[in-house]
Amino acid sequence: MTELALSVRSWATDLAHRLWTEEKVLLFIAGLLLALLVLAPGQAAISAEFAARNLLEVAPFLFLSIGIAAYAGATGADALIARAFTGSPAIMILIAAFAGGLSPFCSCGVIPLIAALLAMGVPLSAVMAFWLASPVMDPSMFVLTTGVLGIEFAVAKTLAAVGLGVFGGYVVHLLSRAGGLADPLREGVGNGGCGGAKVRTAKPVVWKFWQDDERVSKFIREGIKTTLFLAKWLTLAFVLESLMLAWLPADLVARSLGGTGLAPIAIATLVGVPAYLNGYAALPLVGGLLGQGMAPGAGLAFLVAGGVTSLPAAIAVWAMVKRKVFFLYFGIALTGSFATGLLFQLWTMI
């Protein structure tokens, strides 16, 4: 065998090994689209178009949040942010929950900020409070919810967002005190969560980081790394979501969420996880179901649970944090969503 052939073979072997060990997500996406192309060509085109369109829609939020995280790391401002989260856990959790309820980031766009905050050494309790509250409500969502479902529902959803954040933050705080939630990030994401040194060690902040070549390189490196990481996981999420929308009939969702009483609240909480579209598309669906007699508490539970645990967000979270943190986030989201739906149902019955 010639030297050139051996070189090509070695290069191909190295590439295959790297793809198999480091890029299983990309291989799965390619395999899934290839299988669709063979078995359902029409759906393959629809899924590819759906993923591309949704990636473009969330791109502004992603680039903004990734840019903020990369800027904080390049300038050294991450140490200031981390120190701002020192002090009373009760105060930190409350501030983070209210900030999350007012932030304009979607469930996907908030992920880079969450990773950056954890890497900075910000306590998981405060991060979880922001994490849970942010996808549920923002200023534009409040206005749209008021227009579609009324001011009472919009206020209830806002209170649910903040309440869910506070609830989740305090649950995580109690568990953290027992020592069960150290190093929440997966290996290779941020610094694995061991960023406490940034809180303890004061370093100068260079706001004009572009004057320092090393800091510029760090900004570019971290920005590209985070962008590629999220792009592959969100692509997978949107492809799976397109299949869910294609093969999970809307009338089945409507029938599952219909009815009155307390049982539909629990059903809506569970159905909201796989069947949720997005915050804006879900509002008309819930509005129509409310007009058909669905319990208001079930509608709120569906919107809250679906917003926090929507498929793209859940997959991005799974890729970013360790398994125990993911299941804790998921459990808090479901429990808190059911509780808010139940409370809202009781309120409407007074």
Side-chain angles (χ1 to χ4, degrees):
M1 187 176 291
T2 65
E3 183 177 345
L4 177 60
L6 287 172
S7 177
V8 171
R9 182 177 178 180
S10 176
W11 176 84
T13 302
D14 291 342
L15 178 61
H17 177 73
R18 180 178 178 183
L19 287 173
W20 179 250
T21 56
E22 301 179 13
E23 301 297 346
K24 288 187 176 68
V25 177
L26 292 179
L27 290 176
F28 183 81
I29 294 171
L32 181 58
L33 290 176
L34 182 61
L36 287 173
L37 191 61
V38 174
L39 301 174
Q43 184 59 46
I46 292 173
S47 295
E49 189 272 336
F50 180 89
R53 185 177 70 251
N54 279 273
L55 284 172
L56 288 175
E57 289 178 357
V58 302
F61 296 101
L62 285 175
F63 287 140
L64 176 60
S65 55
I66 290 170
I68 292 173
Y71 179 79
T75 60
D78 50 0
L80 296 180
I81 297 172
R83 287 198 295 273
F85 279 89
T86 57
S88 170
I91 300 300
M92 285 192 296
I93 291 170
L94 287 174
I95 293 175
F98 276 98
L102 298 175
S103 70
F105 294 104
C106 63
S107 56
C108 302
V110 77
I111 298 298
L113 291 180
I114 297 303
L117 290 173
L118 290 175
M120 292 171 198
V122 175
L124 180 60
S125 56
V127 174
M128 185 66 77
F130 180 82
W131 195 343
L132 292 168
S134 183
V136 179
M137 182 57 75
D138 58 56
S140 61
M141 178 64 72
F142 183 89
V143 173
L144 188 59
T145 303
T146 301
V148 177
L149 301 177
I151 185 65
E152 183 181 39
F153 208 102
V155 171
K157 194 163 182 273
T158 303
L159 294 176
V162 177
L164 181 60
V166 173
F167 168 66
Y170 281 117
V171 168
V172 171
H173 173 63
L174 293 176
L175 293 176
S176 297
R177 290 182 63 183
L181 294 173
D183 300 340
L185 291 174
R186 289 181 184 268
E187 294 297 328
V189 180
N191 62 0
C194 304
K198 294 185 179 182
V199 180
R200 297 188 295 269
T201 306
K203 294 183 179 180
V205 179
V206 180
W207 298 109
K208 298 179 180 180
F209 75 91
W210 50 87
Q211 298 176 352
D212 186 323
D213 291 340
E214 182 178 351
R215 291 176 183 267
V216 171
S217 297
K218 181 177 181 179
F219 176 84
I220 296 174
R221 184 173 62 253
E222 291 301 316
I224 293 176
K225 177 183 176 182
T226 306
T227 300
L228 294 177
F229 173 81
L230 287 173
K232 64 182 180 183
W233 282 100
L234 289 177
T235 299
L236 173 61
F238 288 134
V239 170
L240 294 177
E241 186 178 7
S242 71
L243 299 179
M244 178 194 71
L245 293 175
W247 295 334
L248 184 65
D251 60 341
L252 176 61
V253 177
R255 289 197 304 270
S256 300
L257 295 177
T260 58
L262 299 181
I265 299 176
I267 296 173
T269 302
L270 297 175
V271 171
V273 177
Y276 194 74
L277 306 177
N278 60 60
Y280 300 102
L283 289 176
L285 171 63
V286 172
L289 292 172
L290 289 173
Q292 297 174 17
M294 182 181 70
L300 183 63
F302 176 79
L303 290 175
V304 175
V308 179
T309 60
S310 64
L311 191 60
I315 289 181
V317 173
W318 172 266
M320 189 178 68
V321 300
K322 293 181 178 178
R323 190 174 302 177
K324 61 183 178 181
V325 179
F326 172 82
F327 286 116
L328 177 62
Y329 141 85
F330 205 77
I332 291 173
L334 294 182
T335 304
S337 299
F338 175 77
T340 56
L342 183 60
L343 290 173
F344 186 53
Q345 184 65 27
L346 294 175
W347 168 261
T348 61
M349 295 170 62
I350 298 177

